[in-house]
Each structure stands twice: as C-alpha cells, then as structure tokens.
Amino acid sequence: MTSLKKHLGKYVDPRTDFGWKFYFGREENKILLIEFLNSLFEGEKVVKDLRYKTVEHDGDHEDIRRVVFDLLCISDDGKHFIVEMQQLFQEFFKDRAIYYTSRLINKQLTRGKKGNSYCLPEVYFIGILEFRMDERKGFEHPDTGHPYFYDVALCDKNTHEIFYDKLGYKMVSLPLFNKTPEELVSVMDQWLYLLKHLSTMDKLPAFLDKRIFGLIFEIGEIGKLTEEDLMSYEASLKHKRDAESVFNSAINTGREEGRKVGLEEGLKLGLAEGKAKGLAEGKAKGLAEGKAKGLAEGKAKGLAEGKVKGLAEGKVKGLAEGEYKKAIEFARAMKKDGVPIEQIMRYSGFSAKEIEKL
C-alpha cells in the first residue's frame, strides 16, 4: 500500500471520480442511483428501474466535439438522465449542461422520414457541484428554504408556468448545504449530508435511513476493495487533491496579482483625489485666512486713519471755536468802551443784531 493509505479514511469518498462511479455507476449498485434520483425529484418523477448507457458520444461530423458524460442512464419508462459530479469551478458550467442535453436530444431524433414527428423523450441533467454556481459573480441563490438546490425548467416568464415538461436541470451546490443532522427533514437532505460527510464517517449514523443507506456503508468500506479498485481509488483521490491544490494556488496567485494591481491603481487614484482635495481645502483655507487678515488690517488701518482725521478735524474745530470766542470778547469790550456799532462791525465781522445781543 502507498503512504496515501493513512489518509483514506474508512469509506470511499463519493466526491472522487472513482467513488462517484463506484457507488452510482455499477450495475450491481444501481439501486443507489435510483434512490438518489427519486430523492431529487421528490415525487415529481418516479424511477423504478434503469439501465446504463455508453457515456462517450462522438459528433456526427469531425468538427463537432466529442462528449463524455460521467453517467448516462435510461429509466424503465424511457426517461434519460445525465448524472455529473463536478469537483472544480467551471466558468461555463451552465453552458456545458445545456450542450450535453442538446447533444443527447439530438441523438434521439429518428433520421429520415420517420423523424418528422419530433416526439422527444424526457431528458434531465443532474449535477452535483463542489462549488457555488456563480461564486465569481457574487451571486447569492434566493432564500427558497433550500438555497443549495437549483431546480430548473423551461417556464413562461409571465405566468411562471412550465412551458416544456420534458427537459429539466437539477443541480446541487454542496458548499451551500450546511445542515446539521438535526436539520435533515427529507431523504434528499440525508443524501446530500452523506455525500458531503461520508469520507469522515466511521459507521452508519442513526439519523440516516438504514433501508436506503445501509448498502453504501456495506460496500463502501475501503478495506473491502479489491487491490485493483484500491489502486484506482488512491489515484482518483490523489488527482482530486492535486487538482484542488492547483486550483487554490491559481486563486491565491490571482488574488495577489489583483491586490498589487489594486494597490497601484489605488495609489494613483488616491494621489489624484488627494491633490484635488488639497487644492480645494487650500483654496478654502486661503480665502478664510485672507478674509480674516483683510478684516484685521482694514480695521487697524481704519482706526489709524480715523484717529488722524479726528485729530485734524478736532484741531481745526478747536481753533475755529477759539477764534470765535476771542472775537466775541473783543466786540463786547469795544461796545463797552462806547465804540460806534459801525466800527465794531468792521473789526469783528459780526452783524449789528449780533452786537446788540452782546
């Protein structure tokens, strides 16, 4: 055994390529796939039996790409199921799902004159995803009570009624499934919990229905695997871990490069905004300080000029009042000495009426 064995756990992890096909892709274990599909459809469709079909489909022409499904099966009543486990984020996963179903539908059309009826079988795409469907777009699945489950069909956008009931997509985002054992209310919940946690379990827990899940714990023990299956599982598990490591490294590298670019662009933007803000604040502050300084200097200058002017005017007024008083005393003295009024008027500048009042 390799050194990887100590990291294997007790049960085969269904989230590996080997584990997915080991539990759901073998004829002897097909009851597990039947039960799993019925849990997803919750009575909408009932699968009683199924048969596996080839997963490889070549294009009708050289320029049409080949497709390889994880699992392809047909129910006893003719429904087609594509069942995929997707480990890593794929930007165009929705496009891929549409393409897969389109290729399968195309293969069902009868060639020649017999194909004129266009009567198609039911086709369903089942995807178990180990990533958020739109994680790079910041999309949050609406709170429907089961945000981890995408149940997609062709609908009329106005009436919300099913337009075509023979094509559907049911996808589960395991990272969004975070229910505890106490919160498992449906068989689908139990399946999803098992898919997410089986690799860390050491026995069948009491909260899982033994009638449905007993077979998984019976056949899934790593110690019961043949040597060939064990080697395949180890290789599959190593591939999964390596792929996740490379993917996470790419994400971290992208984040670091994005951080550097963001810092550089932020610095440029910050300098530009800082300069603009500094100019605006400097202008405002300069206006305020200039206004205050102007008011202070104006006030000081006004006080000084007012003082000088007041002194000058006061001096002039004082002199004028002094000369007037002196003239009155002089006119009064002349009048007292009996000087004729005509002479007093000539020397004092007063009128006869003003002299009579003295």
Side-chain angles (χ1 to χ4, degrees):
M1 303 299 176
T2 69
S3 60
L4 183 64
K5 184 177 179 181
K6 61 182 180 180
H7 302 298
L8 296 181
K10 184 175 181 179
Y11 296 103
V12 172
D13 189 346
R15 296 172 299 167
T16 60
D17 185 64
F18 172 86
W20 187 251
K21 295 171 182 176
F22 174 75
Y23 289 119
F24 299 114
R26 295 189 177 186
E27 181 68 27
E28 63 270 25
N29 300 332
K30 70 178 182 180
I31 184 61
L32 295 176
L33 182 56
I34 291 173
E35 294 286 357
F36 179 58
L37 291 176
N38 283 331
S39 76
L40 295 180
F41 281 92
E42 297 181 300
E44 176 189 351
K45 308 289 180 182
V46 177
V47 180
K48 295 181 180 179
D49 196 8
L50 54 78
R51 65 183 187 278
Y52 294 98
K53 301 289 289 184
T54 179
V55 296
E56 299 181 5
H57 288 258
D58 293 322
D60 294 333
H61 306 285
E62 291 184 359
D63 58 345
I64 298 179
R65 67 182 299 173
R66 182 191 193 199
V67 297
V68 180
F69 308 127
D70 282 351
L71 297 174
L72 175 62
C73 53
I74 303 176
S75 66
D76 55 316
D77 56 355
K79 299 181 182 70
H80 290 65
F81 299 92
I82 300 171
V83 187
E84 294 278 313
M85 161 61 77
Q86 183 67 32
Q87 297 173 354
L88 299 178
F89 177 82
Q90 189 175 79
E91 185 175 3
F92 297 105
F93 182 77
K94 295 177 187 177
D95 302 66
R96 174 182 165 189
I98 299 297
Y99 179 72
Y100 275 15
T101 53
S102 299
R103 284 290 300 274
L104 185 59
I105 291 172
N106 177 260
K107 288 290 185 180
Q108 308 313 310
L109 286 173
T110 305
R111 304 303 187 220
K113 294 182 179 180
K114 294 183 179 180
N116 291 337
S117 67
Y118 287 99
C119 182
L120 298 172
E122 296 182 39
V123 175
Y124 299 97
F125 181 94
I126 311 300
I128 307 302
L129 318 177
E130 287 203 85
F131 55 86
R132 293 172 179 262
M133 181 77 78
D134 295 281
E135 61 182 344
R136 291 187 180 178
K137 298 179 182 178
F139 175 81
E140 289 295 336
H141 193 48
D143 185 10
T144 59
H146 39 72
Y148 45 85
F149 185 45
Y150 295 79
D151 193 0
V152 182
L154 290 178
C155 295
D156 185 307
K157 293 173 68 175
N158 295 315
T159 65
H160 303 290
E161 294 181 356
I162 300 296
F163 171 76
Y164 182 72
D165 64 355
K166 295 197 293 183
L167 176 65
Y169 302 83
K170 295 183 183 292
M171 289 171 277
V172 174
S173 178
L174 287 179
L176 291 175
F177 181 83
N178 298 308
K179 288 190 175 184
T180 63
E182 296 74 22
E183 296 173 319
L184 306 180
V185 297
S186 66
V187 177
M188 180 174 70
D189 284 350
Q190 294 184 45
W191 269 110
L192 300 184
Y193 187 91
L194 180 75
L195 292 177
K196 193 168 184 177
H197 299 287
L198 178 59
S199 62
T200 61
M201 293 180 175
D202 57 6
K203 64 179 180 179
L204 172 64
F207 56 82
L208 295 182
D209 192 329
K210 184 177 182 180
R211 295 168 298 176
I212 299 175
F213 302 102
L215 179 60
I216 285 186
F217 286 87
E218 180 181 337
I219 67 173
E221 288 190 35
I222 294 174
K224 294 181 180 180
L225 295 178
T226 64
E227 185 174 349
E228 182 180 357
D229 280 347
L230 180 59
M231 291 178 63
S232 296
Y233 177 54
E234 288 183 335
S236 180
L237 189 61
K238 184 176 185 301
H239 179 269
K240 172 181 168 66
R241 291 171 176 172
D242 289 346
E244 289 175 346
S245 177
V246 170
F247 183 74
N248 291 332
S249 295
I251 290 177
N252 292 332
T253 300
R255 285 173 177 166
E256 181 59 25
E257 291 178 356
R259 187 183 70 84
K260 291 179 180 178
V261 171
L263 282 173
E264 184 176 347
E265 293 182 355
L267 179 61
K268 292 179 181 178
L269 184 63
L271 286 171
E273 291 182 355
K275 182 178 180 181
K277 187 176 181 180
L279 286 171
E281 292 181 355
K283 182 178 179 181
K285 188 174 181 180
L287 287 171
E289 291 180 355
K291 183 178 179 181
K293 187 175 181 180
L295 287 171
E297 292 180 356
K299 183 178 179 180
K301 188 175 180 181
L303 287 171
E305 291 180 356
K307 183 177 180 181
V308 171
K309 188 176 181 181
L311 287 171
E313 291 180 354
K315 184 176 181 181
V316 172
K317 187 176 181 180
L319 288 171
E321 289 179 353
E323 289 293 331
Y324 179 74
K325 187 176 181 181
K326 186 176 180 182
I328 289 175
E329 290 176 355
F330 177 69
R332 184 181 285 120
M334 290 178 69
K335 181 181 179 182
K336 186 178 181 181
D337 289 340
V339 178
I341 291 180
E342 290 80 6
Q343 290 183 9
I344 296 173
M345 291 173 57
R346 184 185 308 129
Y347 294 111
S348 67
F350 294 123
S351 66
K353 190 175 182 178
E354 288 175 326
I355 294 172
E356 289 177 358
K357 292 180 180 181
L358 295 176

